[in-house]
Amino acid sequence: MKRTFSIRSFRLRKRSPRAEFFSMNFRESVEYLYALGNEVLAMKLGLENISKLLAALGNPEKKYLKVQVAGTNGKGSTCAFLESICLRAGIKTGVTTSPHLISITERVRLDGKEISEKDFARHATRVREVSEKLVADGELETVPTYFEQVTAIALNAFAEAEVELAILETGLGGRFDATTAAHAEIVSVTPVDYDHQQILGESLAEIAAEKAAIIRADTRVVLSEQKDEAMNVILEKCELENVKPRFANYRTEIKAVDAVNGRVVSTFAGDELYENVRLGLSGRHQLTNARTAISLAEILRKDFGFKIGKTEIVEGLENARHKGRLEFYENFLFDGAHNISGAKALREFLDEFVCQPITLVFGAMRDKDLTEIAEILFPKADFIIFTKPDNPRSMDASDLENFLPPDFGNDKVLQTQTVKEALEKAREVSSENHLIVVTGSLYLVGEAQKILNE
């Protein structure tokens, strides 16, 4: 039976008789945050709540330099490349990303390591206490949302750890995303495409406008390659703010591609020359994200005095890792291809590097337009197992069958009600030489990895 939690059911526990505040342990902190509602369904547009929360916390975000990365695709990979570069350069670095796959602690990294459960709970207690006081004092009508509080936890943890640089992955959009309240000094927009249209707008121009809203007059701006419709909107925003963007347009020459894992060896030529770089992330599409990370690293060096040399950039690109994106485990391949561009990148990878039969484990959220995603991915599969991740936004497995190609045999399709059942069925129908590809949603990927780890 699925457990549900009510915010009212929680009581903060005193640390000690002399303590002036109460504390939650890690389990309690996670249950409290989840009780605030799904991070998309319970999302509240606007920066007022998060701004007041950060101010009440003493504006921790003002104690370090910040890079904010927005866009539709490549945000997480760009953050992973940049984080790896900065760690190689010895820069004390904090990173916040979303969503997490297995543990909420993945959302807050300090010097390349996830925050400890104890420290997460401690910061969560502080953020909750301040949030509830703001409501009690009439400063806010409701407590900040799940995503707002997790963002505040990360920013507060970075300040306590005295990081020099924080890398912030935008959750959704940009204009009203909680990370935007941190007022990053450097911002980047990775490739913009269709996703979350019901929130961000139906046209590419509308979506791009929401992403470009993170650009301010006092920011350095790095732009990845874009479709013309999106680029025009972003450049208009730059002109409005009197900002001259830097284009991540390094010339690339592919020297080799690993036939086993799809990792590209390439030379990047621009202001500097980076030769024979073997990217740590798989797929040709990672060249775009690598170019963006290089441009961000060079701005950190040239404009903000960070000691990042060519060696650190090359080694950082080569040692980057990103969970749940073209990630292999035994005969499983995990990839959170949750939109059209992500599906295309996965299909290109499968076409080029996978010659064995494929069993596709697929689950998605109800707010996704799956028509084109299905057209891209489903024909590649020998078997398809539809499932429903444990998320209130998940689409029923039976509804997923509506997106099957007309000529796909019914004997090659199975429905399951849980991810655990889907993994069991995938192993049953797959021979030893099958590759089991788990995709469609990062929530599915995370749940599957948790089950396999256990």
Side-chain angles (χ1 to χ4, degrees):
M1 181 176 178
K2 187 176 178 180
R3 298 179 64 190
T4 58
F5 301 99
S6 167
I7 296 176
R8 293 181 179 178
S9 69
F10 294 97
R11 294 292 182 269
L12 295 178
R13 185 179 62 250
K14 270 193 175 182
R15 275 187 155 187
S16 69
R18 295 183 181 180
E20 296 180 358
F21 58 94
F22 299 85
S23 64
M24 296 182 289
N25 61 32
F26 179 68
R27 179 186 61 79
E28 291 167 338
S29 69
V30 172
E31 290 178 352
Y32 164 73
L33 289 166
Y34 283 165
L36 295 173
N38 179 272
E39 62 183 303
V40 175
L41 295 178
M43 181 180 61
K44 182 177 180 181
L45 297 179
L47 300 180
E48 180 183 4
N49 279 15
I50 181 65
S51 296
K52 287 186 176 180
L53 175 55
L54 292 176
L57 288 167
N59 289 118
E61 77 283 359
K62 294 183 178 180
K63 298 179 180 179
Y64 39 80
L65 189 77
K66 298 161 293 295
V67 175
Q68 182 185 5
V69 182
T72 304
N73 294 291
K75 298 191 302 288
S77 296
T78 298
C79 289
F81 278 131
L82 183 60
E83 176 190 28
S84 183
I85 291 169
C86 291
L87 293 178
R88 289 281 159 175
I91 299 168
K92 195 167 182 60
T93 305
V95 182
T96 181
T97 59
S98 63
H100 62 271
L101 297 182
I102 298 176
S103 173
I104 199 170
T105 55
E106 296 169 29
R107 294 178 180 243
V108 185
R109 292 199 300 275
L110 297 162
D111 282 339
K113 298 179 181 178
E114 292 177 24
I115 189 172
S116 70
E117 293 183 353
K118 181 179 179 181
D119 285 342
F120 183 92
R122 181 166 52 81
H123 286 288
T125 297
R126 174 62 177 155
V127 169
R128 177 184 176 179
E129 178 190 38
V130 171
S131 297
E132 294 181 348
K133 186 176 187 302
L134 287 170
V135 174
D137 292 346
E139 294 291 324
L140 294 178
E141 292 184 5
T142 60
V143 295
T145 63
Y146 171 97
F147 188 75
E148 288 171 332
Q149 292 203 35
V150 173
T151 299
I153 289 168
L155 297 175
N156 208 50
F158 297 159
E160 181 185 82
E162 298 182 341
V163 303
E164 300 171 82
L165 175 71
I167 301 170
L168 317 176
E169 180 188 2
T170 307
L172 192 155
R175 185 187 306 276
F176 298 120
D177 191 80
T179 57
T180 303
H183 295 293
E185 292 81 5
I186 307 170
V187 301
S188 178
V189 182
T190 64
V192 174
D193 214 323
Y194 291 98
D195 203 4
H196 297 291
Q197 289 98 309
Q198 75 283 1
I199 298 173
L200 303 179
E202 293 297 328
S203 71
L204 202 60
E206 289 175 315
I207 297 171
E210 292 300 312
K211 311 285 188 183
I214 68 173
I215 297 169
R216 307 183 315 277
D218 57 348
T219 53
R220 307 294 200 283
V221 178
V222 172
L223 302 180
S224 302
E225 59 189 58
Q226 305 283 348
K227 295 178 180 177
D228 290 343
E229 186 179 354
M231 182 64 87
N232 291 338
V233 172
I234 298 169
L235 292 180
E236 286 176 6
K237 176 62 172 175
C238 289
E239 185 176 355
L240 179 65
E241 300 292 346
N242 197 27
V243 171
K244 184 178 181 181
R246 177 185 177 118
F247 298 96
N249 55 0
Y250 268 78
R251 297 185 304 278
T252 55
E253 182 183 354
I254 296 177
K255 300 293 186 178
V257 181
D258 192 312
V260 176
N261 56 31
R263 291 173 62 179
V264 175
V265 179
S266 178
T267 292
F268 299 85
D271 294 346
E272 302 278 357
L273 180 64
Y274 304 93
E275 297 183 276
N276 300 319
V277 183
R278 187 174 189 268
L279 297 182
L281 305 182
S282 298
R284 293 176 185 267
H285 62 286
Q286 292 296 350
L287 290 169
T288 297
N289 304 321
R291 286 193 289 263
T292 305
I294 291 172
S295 297
L296 288 167
E298 291 187 342
I299 284 179
L300 288 171
R301 180 181 68 216
K302 295 176 180 178
D303 295 355
F304 295 93
F306 285 96
K307 295 181 180 179
I308 304 175
K310 289 177 63 174
T311 299
E312 288 75 25
I313 289 177
V314 171
E315 291 182 353
L317 295 174
E318 292 182 337
N319 288 278
R321 298 292 182 267
H322 194 197
K323 293 182 179 179
R325 279 74 169 182
L326 291 178
E327 181 182 10
F328 283 93
Y329 171 75
E330 296 180 347
N331 65 323
F332 285 87
L333 173 63
F334 299 99
D335 190 69
H338 57 88
N339 54 39
I340 295 170
S341 294
K344 288 179 179 177
L346 174 57
R347 177 60 188 265
E348 290 169 1
F349 179 86
L350 295 175
D351 286 343
E352 184 172 3
F353 301 108
V354 176
C355 57
Q356 65 209 90
I358 291 173
T359 298
L360 190 71
V361 177
F362 189 89
M365 301 297 105
R366 290 193 309 273
D367 54 1
K368 298 290 183 179
D369 182 0
L370 297 181
T371 304
E372 192 168 348
I373 293 174
E375 291 175 353
I376 295 167
L377 292 179
F378 291 0
K380 188 67 177 177
D382 295 272
F383 287 95
I384 298 179
I385 299 173
F386 292 125
T387 191
K388 184 178 181 180
D390 184 16
N391 186 293
R393 292 168 53 216
S394 294
M395 186 179 293
D396 289 334
S398 57
D399 293 332
L400 292 170
E401 286 206 12
N402 296 329
F403 299 94
L404 278 171
D407 56 345
F408 202 90
N410 291 332
D411 59 330
K412 296 183 178 181
V413 181
L414 292 171
Q415 290 183 29
T416 62
Q417 296 305 308
T418 67
V419 175
K420 183 177 182 181
E421 183 187 357
L423 297 178
E424 291 171 350
K425 292 294 184 183
R427 283 173 160 157
E428 286 179 16
V429 302
S430 301
S431 60
E432 289 185 2
N433 68 327
H434 268 69
L435 179 67
I436 301 173
V437 179
V438 181
T439 189
S441 168
L442 280 169
Y443 296 105
L444 168 63
V445 168
E447 190 175 346
Q449 290 190 347
K450 183 177 181 180
I451 291 168
L452 291 173
N453 285 346
E454 291 173 348

